[in-house]
Protein backbone atom coordinates (compact mmCIF):
# COMPACT_ATOMS: atom_id res chain seq x y z
CA UNK A 1 0.00 0.00 0.00
CA UNK A 2 0.87 3.62 0.40
CA UNK A 3 3.82 4.79 2.46
CA UNK A 4 2.65 5.54 6.02
CA UNK A 5 2.14 9.24 6.91
CA UNK A 6 4.83 9.16 9.61
CA UNK A 7 8.55 8.56 10.01
CA UNK A 8 9.67 4.94 9.93
CA UNK A 9 13.22 3.57 10.05
CA UNK A 10 14.15 0.08 8.90
CA UNK A 11 17.58 -1.57 8.85
CA UNK A 12 17.35 -4.39 6.30
CA UNK A 13 21.17 -4.81 6.08
CA UNK A 14 23.53 -4.88 9.07
CA UNK A 15 26.94 -6.55 9.32
CA UNK A 16 29.55 -6.71 12.09
CA UNK A 17 32.96 -8.37 12.05
CA UNK A 18 35.05 -8.16 15.20
CA UNK A 19 38.47 -9.72 15.74
CA UNK A 20 40.69 -9.66 18.80
CA UNK A 21 43.92 -11.16 20.06
CA UNK A 22 45.12 -10.91 23.62
CA UNK A 23 47.64 -12.28 26.06
CA UNK A 24 48.75 -11.84 29.63
CA UNK A 25 52.12 -12.44 31.31
CA UNK A 26 52.88 -12.92 35.00
CA UNK A 27 56.36 -12.31 36.39
CA UNK A 28 57.28 -13.28 39.95
CA UNK A 29 59.53 -10.41 41.11
CA UNK A 30 59.90 -11.83 44.65
CA UNK A 31 58.26 -14.54 46.74
CA UNK A 32 55.50 -12.13 47.70
CA UNK A 33 55.42 -9.77 44.66
CA UNK A 34 53.92 -10.49 41.22
CA UNK A 35 53.89 -8.26 38.11
CA UNK A 36 51.03 -8.70 35.63
CA UNK A 37 51.09 -7.32 32.08
CA UNK A 38 48.53 -7.78 29.35
CA UNK A 39 47.99 -6.57 25.80
CA UNK A 40 44.94 -6.73 23.53
CA UNK A 41 44.38 -5.84 19.88
CA UNK A 42 40.80 -5.34 18.64
CA UNK A 43 39.47 -4.62 15.15
CA UNK A 44 35.81 -3.85 14.41
CA UNK A 45 34.23 -3.51 10.96
CA UNK A 46 30.60 -2.45 10.72
CA UNK A 47 28.29 -1.84 7.79
CA UNK A 48 24.65 -0.87 7.73
CA UNK A 49 21.97 0.19 5.27
CA UNK A 50 18.98 2.11 6.61
CA UNK A 51 15.72 2.77 4.82
CA UNK A 52 13.93 5.89 6.03
CA UNK A 53 10.35 6.54 5.08
CA UNK A 54 8.78 9.93 5.75
CA UNK A 55 5.37 10.55 4.23
CA UNK A 56 5.87 9.31 0.67
CA UNK A 57 9.63 9.82 0.43
CA UNK A 58 12.01 6.85 0.80
CA UNK A 59 15.69 7.42 1.49
CA UNK A 60 18.46 4.79 1.67
CA UNK A 61 21.51 5.59 3.79
CA UNK A 62 24.66 3.41 3.97
CA UNK A 63 27.14 3.58 6.82
CA UNK A 64 30.49 1.85 7.25
CA UNK A 65 33.00 1.95 10.08
CA UNK A 66 36.44 0.45 10.68
CA UNK A 67 38.16 0.89 14.05
CA UNK A 68 41.24 -0.70 15.53
CA UNK A 69 42.71 -0.35 19.03
CA UNK A 70 45.55 -1.58 21.23
CA UNK A 71 44.72 -1.77 24.92
CA UNK A 72 46.17 -3.50 27.95
CA UNK A 73 46.87 -3.57 31.64
CA UNK A 74 49.80 -3.46 34.04
CA UNK A 75 49.79 -4.08 37.76
CA UNK A 76 51.35 -5.45 40.93
CA UNK A 77 50.08 -7.95 43.52
CA UNK A 78 51.88 -7.91 46.88
CA UNK A 79 51.38 -10.31 49.80
CA UNK A 80 52.98 -8.53 52.77
CA UNK A 81 55.40 -10.38 55.04
CA UNK A 82 53.48 -9.38 58.20
CA UNK A 83 50.81 -11.94 57.17
CA UNK A 84 52.68 -15.27 56.91
CA UNK A 85 49.42 -17.13 56.17
CA UNK A 86 49.09 -15.14 52.92
CA UNK A 87 45.56 -13.93 53.66
CA UNK A 88 46.29 -10.30 52.73
CA UNK A 89 46.73 -9.00 49.20
CA UNK A 90 47.63 -5.41 48.30
CA UNK A 91 47.28 -4.54 44.62
CA UNK A 92 47.49 -1.70 42.15
CA UNK A 93 46.59 -1.76 38.44
CA UNK A 94 46.42 0.48 35.40
CA UNK A 95 44.18 -0.65 32.51
CA UNK A 96 43.20 0.87 29.19
CA UNK A 97 39.84 -0.22 27.82
CA UNK A 98 38.06 0.14 24.49
CA UNK A 99 34.48 -0.17 23.26
CA UNK A 100 33.77 0.16 19.54
CA UNK A 101 31.65 2.93 18.06
CA UNK A 102 28.50 2.51 16.01
CA UNK A 103 25.69 4.12 14.06
CA UNK A 104 22.79 6.29 15.10
CA UNK A 105 19.43 6.04 13.33
CA UNK A 106 19.05 8.52 10.50
CA UNK A 107 15.89 10.56 10.31
CA UNK A 108 14.31 13.99 10.40
CA UNK A 109 15.15 16.36 13.24
CA UNK A 110 17.52 13.92 14.95
CA UNK A 111 20.26 16.53 15.34
CA UNK A 112 23.25 14.27 16.06
CA UNK A 113 25.98 12.68 13.99
CA UNK A 114 24.94 9.53 12.08
CA UNK A 115 27.63 7.61 13.99
CA UNK A 116 29.31 7.70 17.39
CA UNK A 117 33.02 7.22 18.10
CA UNK A 118 34.74 4.44 20.04
CA UNK A 119 35.03 4.78 23.80
CA UNK A 120 38.38 4.61 25.63
CA UNK A 121 39.00 4.53 29.37
CA UNK A 122 42.18 4.81 31.42
CA UNK A 123 41.42 3.01 34.68
CA UNK A 124 43.47 3.09 37.87
CA UNK A 125 42.62 0.88 40.85
CA UNK A 126 44.40 0.13 44.12
CA UNK A 127 43.18 -1.85 47.07
CA UNK A 128 43.50 -4.42 49.82
CA UNK A 129 41.82 -7.82 50.12
CA UNK A 130 42.15 -9.66 53.39
CA UNK A 131 40.73 -12.42 55.51
CA UNK A 132 40.79 -10.59 58.84
CA UNK A 133 39.62 -13.54 60.91
CA UNK A 134 38.58 -17.09 60.16
CA UNK A 135 35.02 -15.99 59.37
CA UNK A 136 35.55 -12.36 58.32
CA UNK A 137 36.91 -11.01 55.05
CA UNK A 138 37.40 -7.32 54.28
CA UNK A 139 38.08 -5.64 50.93
CA UNK A 140 38.80 -1.98 50.21
CA UNK A 141 39.54 -0.38 46.85
CA UNK A 142 39.93 3.08 45.36
CA UNK A 143 39.41 3.72 41.66
CA UNK A 144 39.72 6.50 39.08
CA UNK A 145 38.37 6.21 35.51
CA UNK A 146 39.24 8.78 32.84
CA UNK A 147 36.92 8.33 29.85
CA UNK A 148 37.61 9.69 26.38
CA UNK A 149 34.39 9.44 24.37
CA UNK A 150 32.15 7.74 26.95
CA UNK A 151 29.12 6.44 25.05
CA UNK A 152 25.82 7.60 26.52
CA UNK A 153 22.31 7.06 25.19
CA UNK A 154 19.43 9.50 25.08
CA UNK A 155 15.91 9.56 23.70
CA UNK A 156 15.26 12.06 20.89
CA UNK A 157 12.21 12.21 18.60
CA UNK A 158 10.98 8.75 19.69
CA UNK A 159 14.29 7.00 19.05
CA UNK A 160 17.41 6.21 21.07
CA UNK A 161 20.69 7.88 20.04
CA UNK A 162 24.26 7.55 21.29
CA UNK A 163 26.69 10.39 21.89
CA UNK A 164 30.26 10.66 23.13
CA UNK A 165 31.32 12.75 26.11
CA UNK A 166 34.49 12.91 28.20
CA UNK A 167 34.07 11.95 31.86
CA UNK A 168 36.02 11.28 35.02
CA UNK A 169 34.69 8.87 37.65
CA UNK A 170 36.31 8.10 40.97
CA UNK A 171 35.38 6.51 44.24
CA UNK A 172 35.97 4.11 47.07
CA UNK A 173 34.44 0.70 47.53
CA UNK A 174 34.38 -1.31 50.77
CA UNK A 175 33.08 -4.81 51.31
CA UNK A 176 32.95 -7.05 54.34
CA UNK A 177 31.66 -10.62 54.59
CA UNK A 178 30.98 -12.34 57.91
CA UNK A 179 30.32 -16.09 57.65
CA UNK A 180 27.88 -17.38 60.24
CA UNK A 181 26.90 -20.93 61.15
CA UNK A 182 24.83 -23.12 58.81
CA UNK A 183 25.88 -21.35 55.58
CA UNK A 184 24.56 -17.90 56.48
CA UNK A 185 26.56 -14.80 55.55
CA UNK A 186 26.25 -11.10 56.32
Amino acid sequence: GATPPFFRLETPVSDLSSYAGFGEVYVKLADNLKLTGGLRWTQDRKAQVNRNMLFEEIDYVSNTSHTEAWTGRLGLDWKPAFDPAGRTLVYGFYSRGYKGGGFNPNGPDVGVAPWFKPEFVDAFEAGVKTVAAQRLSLNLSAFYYDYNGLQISKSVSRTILNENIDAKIWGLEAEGVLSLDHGWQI
Side-chain angles (χ1 to χ4, degrees), residues 9-71:
L9 174 68
E10 296 177 353
T11 305
V13 177
S14 184
D15 184 44
L16 166 65
S17 298
S18 185
Y19 301 95
F22 58 92
E24 198 161 85
V25 174
Y26 308 99
V27 178
K28 189 174 183 179
L29 300 175
D31 286 341
N32 62 348
L33 185 63
K34 178 178 77 170
L35 174 71
T36 301
L39 196 59
R40 178 184 181 94
W41 167 80
T42 307
Q43 180 186 73
D44 293 326
R45 292 178 187 268
K46 298 178 182 182
Q48 183 182 67
V49 176
N50 289 323
R51 180 171 60 187
N52 302 328
M53 292 185 284
L54 180 60
F55 302 110
E56 295 185 14
E57 184 178 319
I58 297 177
D59 181 30
Y60 288 91
V61 177
S62 296
N63 293 310
T64 59
S65 171
H66 174 231
T67 56
E68 193 171 319
W70 285 93
T71 56

